[in-house]
Amino acid sequence: MVSKWHLCAALMVISVMSLTGCMATRAESLPYVDLSQRQPLPATAAAQVVPLRVAVAAVISPKGTADSYQLLFDYLSLKLDRPVELVQRRTYAEINDLIERDEVDMAFVCTSAYVIGRRDFDMQLLVAPQVSGETLYFSWLIVPADSAAKELADLRGKTFAFTDPWSTSGRMYPTSLTQALGETPETFFGRTFFTYSHDDAIRAVANGVADGAAVDSLVYQFAVAREPWLGERTQVIRRSQAFGMPPVVTSPHVRPQVRARLQSILLAMADDPDGREALQALDIDRFVVIEDVAYDSVRDLEMQVGTLVLE
Amino acid sequence: MSGLADRMPGLSPFARRLFNQFWAVAGAVRVRTKILGVVLTLVLILGVGVTFQVRSTFRTALGHELRNRGVSITRDVAARSVDLILVHDLYGVYQLLLDTLANNGDVRYAFVVGPDGEILVHTFGEGFPAGLVGVNTVSPVERYHLQNLATDEGIIWDFAVPILEGRAGVLRVGLSEQAMRTTLSHVTRQLLVTTIIVSLAGVAAAILLTWLITRPVLDLVEVTRTVARGDLSHAAAHWANDEIGLLNDSFNAMITDLAGARAESEAFDAELLRRSRELAALYEVSRVVSGQQDLTDMLDGALRCVLALMDLEAGWVLLLEPEGTHARLVCSVGIPVRVARQEAETGFPHCQCGRVLEEKRSLLITSLDETCPVRGLCLADERLVTGHVAVPLVSKSQVLGTLNIACADSDCVSHEDLQLLGAIGQQLGVAVENTRLWEEVRQKEAARGQLLQRIITAQEEERKRIARELHDDTSQSLTSLMVGLKVLEGLRSADEARQYLSGLRAIVAETLEAVHDLALELRPSVLDDMGLVAAVDHHVAEYRRRFNIGVDNRAVGFDGRRLPPAVETTLYRIVQEALTNVARHSGASHASVLLEWTGHHVRAIVEDNGSGLDLSLARQRRKLGLYGMEERATLIGGSLRIESQPAMGTAVIVRVPLTDVPTPPHSPTSTTSAGETEASRC
């Protein structure tokens, strides 16, 4: 009788030990980290080789930008024999700040950002992309494919998506249109919001989040070519006057040699197979030298809509 | 002691020894403990097994779930942080990581390692755990990489996911196992609690089961013990229609059979005992009876013996008179002789016990008539007689008397006792008969002795008479003749001689007649020469002449045939004796003799019109030659009967059966002597 109870007790002990023990044995072979032992993060070591810092304004989404510009950056890095670092910021204004503070060497900026940067801190015009043999682009007013709106006036009280506060095509032009109707965007539209990139604005209209938007014609064409469904679900109801192509600029603090070197590399890209491949990724024919006068139409528009957009 | 395993073939010695050791422990405990042990062991094995299995399965499932969640969270955060990182919105990334921690309880930490290896954002706050960055790496083409870490906070599942193929860095998220382990512990605890509850339920069920099984068995054991003690009145209760129920039924059937067998045995024993008692009683009665030759003493002894056997105190014995209707008291015990005699004289013919004469079996009379003398008699123990047992004394289907036992209550004797008394009655009947026969033999023997004496005496007297006759008559005549011859010798003349001779011749003639008479008296030659009828005729004629009594003599059915000489002599002597008795004692003036031959019988009847006689007295006194006549008849296979009443005459009737005798011719003629008339009873 006693031995039977002993047997039962032993069985229970063994089973409980086996249940708990299988958990304990696992930890022995694992790397050990004491989470309570903290130490300050090491200061970022100064890079041995100073990279070329290139900012890209958020014409398209940051991920799209990173993807599209990767070949170009690789090419530049190869030609310059130094790393090229992509710097993105949410707004045009932030990019301009970086350029002004010499935190980036080169930047792909929007026309209005250039106009403002040129005026504010002597932003240097380097080259401009030529697309389809032109260095011009337009602002296209788009609405959903099934929308009945034929004019901006039809969008009264609707939701309208702006791209960037500083965007010529995405904000200045539609604002000028509302002004032409004797209104302001705030009074004319029911609601407005910023997408901070043109492709997101197209997507907002295509998905019905916005009833309308004004976008860069080149970005629209580029996006529709990449994603045809965007074209199927949107329609262009108005086209603006031509604006100068968004330029590639340098900081005023960039040394002239570097600037010249960069310009020569960019201008010669179309003649280099690797360069062409990088240009094709961006849907660009080539980089060309452009004059400041090409942006006067933008300056005119800016004059027209006033400085409210730059606040 | 050979173990259970020794009866199992194919076991290795070690297994056999192991099993025997196990069975030495398990086999020694009670069934209740065995069942309890088996149930507990099974429940524990099942419970622990299920717990282990469920815990293992649950752990695997939770591990999968944790891994999927970790991958999902990390990849989601990585995707959402791409733009933020690209636009250098590190605070946005930080907020994203904090939100992730806030929304996922088991996410212990998250941080982003930049493409250059520096930590862009982390959720540890002040400082960063040493060595954490390098323990998990992921290549740009991998979806994720999981590395389990042992930390001071337990096991951490560290997920690494490249952001934008690594170009924007690597996101690391650490998920603690704690929640999973808590869940596992909770589940395990629940299962163990369930196991314990089920074990308790199992114990309860085992106790119930044990009770259900052992209760009937113990019941059966108790009944077995009861049966072993000899008490067959208990039966095992039928608990259920299962195997134990069947066992109970079989056992009960066995008890019933046993009880039946015992009842039979007891009945047999009782029968044996009864028979033995009967035999003992019969033996005792037989012993008492055999020790006595006197009828009264014998019956008295038998009555006392029966009373002692029956444990009763009063009784009496009656014997029926020869006519069969009246009884006389032979003996009595425990009741006054006067009352017993009164019962014999008045009670018996009227009492219900008279039925024994017809039924010839023992009767218990429980309702006595008011006139019954023994009714209400007070016995020695001061109880009153309310009835009595009447036992017939039977011999050769004839009731000779009754043995009676007084009863104070209606169940003083049982049915078996009545039967026993019946047997005793038969024994006593035979004994009474024997005693009577013995008495008769004794009387006959005495009579035979007297007869012999008389024969001898008669012979001597006959010799004296013959001698006297010879001396007085014949001798005198011969003397006279001798004297006459001597005288004749002296005579000289022929005339004288001639005259004298004529005188002598007369003497000779007289002498010759006397001798002839003498010879005839001794045995008539006519019986030999002419037969019974002629001899009787001759004797009757002589009888008439001598005694001057008128005698009718008649013979029927003889027709000249002769009977065997012995029968003729016997009948002749009986007739002669009877007639002599008539002449000597009856004073009769007339007698008749009838001889009748009918078929295979011959009968002789001698009647007279005399004074008659008291037969018993005559027998007792051995008078009249009656016994001699009976003896003579008996010697030739016949019988003699005497019918007589005082002043009514006497008839002696002899009847002799005949064998090997020619049947008489058809024409029955009778020869009668002159002057004979039909015999008629007086």
Side-chain angles (χ1 to χ4, degrees), chain B residues 38-344:
Chain B
V38 168
V39 170
L40 260 184
T41 307
L42 284 179
V43 169
L44 282 176
I45 289 174
L46 183 70
V48 170
V50 166
T51 303
F52 187 81
Q53 186 68 32
V54 168
R55 187 189 162 92
S56 171
T57 308
F58 215 65
R59 192 178 189 293
T60 307
L62 285 178
H64 278 299
E65 198 262 339
L66 191 64
R67 172 189 287 258
N68 290 340
R69 250 167 49 75
V71 171
S72 171
I73 289 171
T74 311
R75 284 185 61 83
D76 178 55
V77 172
R80 284 162 64 192
S81 65
V82 170
D83 285 356
L84 295 172
I85 293 171
L86 286 177
V87 300
H88 213 254
D89 186 1
L90 296 183
Y91 186 73
V93 177
Y94 178 64
Q95 279 296 335
L96 179 62
L97 298 188
L98 284 185
D99 286 347
T100 304
L101 255 68
N103 293 327
N104 298 277
D106 45 1
V107 174
R108 173 64 189 83
Y109 59 79
F111 61 93
V112 177
V113 182
D116 301 327
E118 81 277 27
I119 293 163
L120 298 179
V121 189
H122 65 84
T123 58
F124 289 103
E126 204 62 35
F128 190 86
L132 180 60
V133 176
V135 293
N136 192 11
T137 55
V138 62
S139 74
V141 294
E142 278 185 295
R143 284 182 74 242
Y144 71 94
H145 186 265
L146 167 64
Q147 174 64 55
N148 288 338
L149 303 177
T151 71
D152 54 323
E153 297 177 9
I155 304 290
I156 297 285
W157 295 43
D158 189 285
F159 294 90
V161 169
I163 306 171
L164 198 63
E165 290 86 42
R167 283 177 281 150
V170 171
L171 175 65
R172 295 270 297 280
V173 173
L175 268 74
S176 171
E177 255 191 9
Q178 196 55 46
M180 184 180 87
R181 296 186 63 170
T182 305
T183 306
L184 265 184
S185 299
H186 180 70
V187 168
T188 307
R189 203 161 45 244
Q190 288 288 329
L191 284 171
L192 286 176
V193 167
T194 305
T195 301
I196 290 169
I197 290 173
V198 171
S199 295
L200 291 176
V203 168
I207 288 172
L208 178 66
L209 181 67
T210 311
W211 184 81
L212 282 176
I213 291 175
T214 57
R215 177 65 196 272
V217 171
L218 291 177
D219 230 23
L220 197 60
V221 168
E222 188 54 41
V223 174
T224 312
R225 287 178 180 154
T226 311
V227 169
R229 285 197 297 270
D231 183 359
L232 298 180
S233 61
H234 288 76
H238 185 90
W239 287 83
N241 291 322
D242 53 9
E243 290 83 348
I244 295 178
L246 285 177
L247 179 63
N248 280 357
D249 290 346
S250 301
F251 190 77
N252 287 341
M254 190 191 76
I255 291 177
T256 308
D257 292 347
L258 215 56
R262 172 186 278 193
E264 278 181 20
S265 171
E266 283 176 349
F268 183 73
D269 287 350
E271 178 69 16
L272 212 60
L273 203 65
R274 192 175 65 77
R275 291 289 171 87
S276 170
R277 192 165 150 244
E278 278 182 19
L279 282 177
L282 288 172
Y283 169 75
E284 188 62 25
V285 171
S286 169
R287 195 179 58 78
V288 169
V289 166
S290 63
Q292 299 291 339
Q293 290 189 344
D294 183 73
L295 188 63
T296 305
D297 292 346
M298 186 261 292
L299 289 176
D300 185 65
L303 176 62
R304 289 176 192 280
C305 180
V306 168
L307 288 175
L309 286 171
M310 296 288 160
D311 198 19
L312 295 170
E313 55 188 76
W316 63 98
V317 179
L318 306 179
L319 281 181
L320 287 172
E321 292 297 349
E323 85 282 0
T325 52
H326 289 84
R328 66 181 174 88
L329 176 72
V330 178
C331 58
S332 66
V333 174
I335 58 172
V337 176
R338 177 182 54 78
V339 175
R341 189 164 287 143
Q342 216 175 348
E343 172 74 16

Side-chain angles (χ1 to χ4, degrees), chain A residues 15 26 31 33 35 39 88-89, chain B residues 48 59 87-88 128 150 152:
Chain A
S15 56
R26 282 180 58 239
V33 175
L35 296 179
Q39 59 187 30
Q88 294 189 85
R89 291 297 182 269
Chain B
V48 170
R59 192 178 189 293
V87 300
H88 213 254
F128 190 86
D152 54 323

Side-chain angles (χ1 to χ4, degrees), chain B residues 288-432:
Chain B
V288 169
V289 166
S290 63
Q292 299 291 339
Q293 290 189 344
D294 183 73
L295 188 63
T296 305
D297 292 346
M298 186 261 292
L299 289 176
D300 185 65
L303 176 62
R304 289 176 192 280
C305 180
V306 168
L307 288 175
L309 286 171
M310 296 288 160
D311 198 19
L312 295 170
E313 55 188 76
W316 63 98
V317 179
L318 306 179
L319 281 181
L320 287 172
E321 292 297 349
E323 85 282 0
T325 52
H326 289 84
R328 66 181 174 88
L329 176 72
V330 178
C331 58
S332 66
V333 174
I335 58 172
V337 176
R338 177 182 54 78
V339 175
R341 189 164 287 143
Q342 216 175 348
E343 172 74 16
E345 291 168 357
T346 62
F348 180 68
H350 310 292
C351 182
Q352 295 179 39
C353 58
R355 283 191 286 136
V356 297
L357 299 182
E358 291 132 25
E359 300 185 16
K360 296 176 182 173
R361 63 181 178 88
S362 301
L363 294 176
L364 173 58
I365 315 298
T366 53
S367 57
L368 294 174
D369 293 335
E370 288 185 357
T371 56
C372 190
V374 294
R375 188 170 186 266
L377 195 69
C378 187
L379 296 173
D381 59 0
E382 297 185 347
R383 291 193 301 162
L384 296 179
V385 174
T386 59
H388 74 87
V389 181
V391 182
L393 309 182
V394 183
S395 175
K396 296 177 185 170
S397 302
Q398 191 182 354
V399 178
L400 304 179
T402 56
L403 182 146
N404 302 278
I405 300 171
C407 288
D409 45 46
S410 60
D411 57 348
C412 61
V413 291
S414 63
H415 179 70
E416 287 76 17
D417 288 339
L418 275 181
Q419 286 186 330
L420 174 60
L421 287 171
I424 291 175
Q426 291 200 336
Q427 190 185 17
L428 284 178
V430 172
V432 168

Side-chain angles (χ1 to χ4, degrees), chain B residues 662-682:
Chain B
T663 51
H666 182 63
S667 57
T669 56
S670 62
T671 58
T672 55
S673 304
E676 285 177 353
T677 57
E678 275 297 315
S680 64
R681 202 161 182 274
C682 300

